[in-house]
Amino acid sequence: HPGAKARGRRVARAQGLPAWPVRASAAALPFRDGYASFVLAMASLYHLTPQELTAALAEIRRVLPPGGVAVLHFLDGHDWRRTLAPELRPEEASEPGYRALVTCFCGRQALEEWLQAAGLEVLSLDLRTSASPAGEMRDWIATCARPVAEDG
């Protein structure tokens, strides 16, 4: 979106956050291993295909140092927004996923499996609900970390 990076910089600066937005593929972050002690991904991961999501979660783990924390946002499978697009099997989703409205809805079990498969430790997994004129919005907020003591 035009102007999104500049707006993100203004918001971060106004909040006194030592952060800056970047435009990059979630599946290929432009940072060295262990670079970011904190990762925030809001309103983005659910636009990825399952293949892109797997790669993005692996990248988030890669850029976190041991003990680094990520706060990630996902849509629940019972969220009303699921009705906005036709049901697609994973192999039918466009590549890259940003061409699709929303390709990834999930429940607690799938979300835990994705995060654990990426090597992230789930610290908390909260389902937040709110009402809208169109129906119930159901958002998962996952707080996870790269484990401090890792095998291998």
Side-chain angles (χ1 to χ4, degrees):
H1 183 269
K5 283 174 53 176
R7 181 178 179 277
R9 280 190 209 95
R10 285 192 306 276
V11 169
R13 195 169 27 253
Q15 297 297 316
L17 297 173
W20 64 97
V22 295
R23 183 177 179 177
S25 168
L29 296 173
F31 305 110
R32 71 182 184 284
D33 294 1
Y35 179 78
S37 60
F38 180 75
V39 172
L40 175 67
M42 299 297 286
S44 56
L45 296 174
Y46 53 76
H47 291 285
L48 304 178
T49 65
Q51 297 82 10
E52 290 171 319
L53 179 60
T54 298
L57 293 175
E59 277 293 276
I60 289 168
R61 183 199 166 282
R62 182 187 67 77
V63 302
L64 288 171
V69 174
V71 175
L72 312 174
H73 174 221
F74 300 87
L75 295 182
D76 184 67
H78 297 290
D79 189 289
W80 78 268
R81 291 168 281 192
R82 188 173 195 142
T83 65
L84 295 175
E87 187 77 22
L88 294 176
R89 293 190 311 272
E91 64 274 10
E92 295 174 328
S94 64
E95 289 284 343
Y98 65 78
R99 292 187 184 144
L101 179 62
V102 175
T103 59
C104 189
F105 290 89
C106 59
R108 175 180 289 274
Q109 182 176 350
L111 188 49
E112 288 174 338
E113 289 172 3
W114 286 334
L115 296 170
Q116 290 168 359
L120 294 168
E121 176 186 354
V122 178
L123 304 176
S124 67
L125 191 52
D126 300 309
L127 179 61
R128 302 202 177 157
T129 62
S130 58
S132 78
E136 186 177 44
M137 298 190 328
R138 299 172 58 89
D139 299 280
W140 286 106
I141 305 298
T143 303
C144 44
R146 181 170 176 176
V148 174
E150 297 182 299
D151 296 331

